[in-house]
Amino acid sequence: MQKPILILGACGQIGTELTMELRSKYGADSVVASDIREGGEALMASGPFELLDATNYDAIEDVVMHYEIDEVYLMAAMLSATAEKFPMRAWNLNMNSLFNVLNLAKDRKISKIFWPSSIAVFGPSTPKENTPQNTIMEPSTVYGISKQSGERWCEYYFNKFGVDVRSVRYPGLISWKTMPGGGTTDYAVEIYHQALENGRYKCFLKEDTQLPMMYMDDAIRATLNLMEADVSTIRVRSSYNLGSMSFTPQEIAKTIKAHIPDFQMEYQPDFRQQIADSWPSSIDDSYAKKDWGWEPKYDLKSTTSEMLKNLGGK
Ligand code: SER
């Protein structure tokens, strides 16, 4: 039987779908959702929920003890664009929440952690194409600096204290159930909403900015595959590169036009352009493929079909 799981940041873009998937897999009562605010109706109705601040160690420990939690998924974080506006708040949230769960595992109060990293750990000096697992990492954003530091701490806690912490570097994630908040890759979600509502979208990145992206179903599957993998197969304790597709705003617009011929795209790059320019354009995820059998299912075309179908039917 699955021992109880706690999700911190369960109401966000990833947390919502992760919670629902874990609940359908292990049973609603085995998965405790938590966030600093309540989430959508479907999530709130689907199982136990606790109001919880991921930076408050004592509060997390209380919940862990009360439900006899064994695994924690830490999905609470401030993303790249918002973090540039509130650097210290981002650093405090992203780092303190991580230390809280790492220290719970170090003290053997929980036995497994999932913590997401990001393509934002890479920077302008990183090779852009097919970015390797191990390469130059000089992130130039507040968010990227926090994720890069987090990766170092995860590996340190594994080596020093045997903490079973597992991580992937998510690319930009595309989903229809819950909106992303404050990221640089958010355009690739907004565009579908705007295409259906207004037939047009003003993109905050330039037409030829290519970034690594992934459909949410693939991201959730990767996360669960990694968490279920036998401990002996996991060779990377910082964070695994994870890839599926890469595209530009112009290319995503083209796939939307195939469904909505009158769709119009305008470009008005803002401060997020500089963030996007510092990130890879494609990712080499051969370690994830080799170690725990990662294989993506969705490409840009199937992602666009799924997004338009599901949002259109909402
Ligand atoms: N999607 C995130 C962002 O844009 C990157 O991890 O901030």
Side-chain angles (χ1 to χ4, degrees), residues 79-80 118 143 170 172 183-185 279:
L79 295 188
S80 60
S118 158
Y143 176 67
Y170 287 130
T184 301
T185 57
W279 290 352

Side-chain angles (χ1 to χ4, degrees), residues 191-262:
I191 191 171
Y192 293 110
H193 288 264
Q194 294 293 320
L196 286 165
E197 280 161 35
N198 311 315
R200 55 194 311 125
Y201 180 61
K202 197 185 279 172
C203 185
F204 57 76
L205 296 182
K206 287 193 260 181
E207 61 183 23
D208 58 351
T209 308
Q210 184 180 306
L211 289 169
M213 299 276 183
M214 182 176 282
Y215 189 54
M216 185 61 84
D217 291 31
D218 271 341
I220 299 293
R221 203 162 43 78
T223 306
L224 299 199
N225 285 356
L226 173 63
M227 287 301 273
E228 285 162 3
D230 190 88
V231 67
S232 65
T233 63
I234 297 170
R235 292 182 300 165
V236 175
R237 289 297 183 162
S238 50
S239 188
Y240 278 96
N241 275 9
L242 190 67
S244 81
M245 56 181 132
S246 283
F247 57 77
T248 64
Q250 200 169 34
E251 286 163 346
I252 190 174
K254 206 172 144 206
T255 64
I256 293 175
K257 260 181 182 294
H259 296 260
I260 307 171
D262 293 337

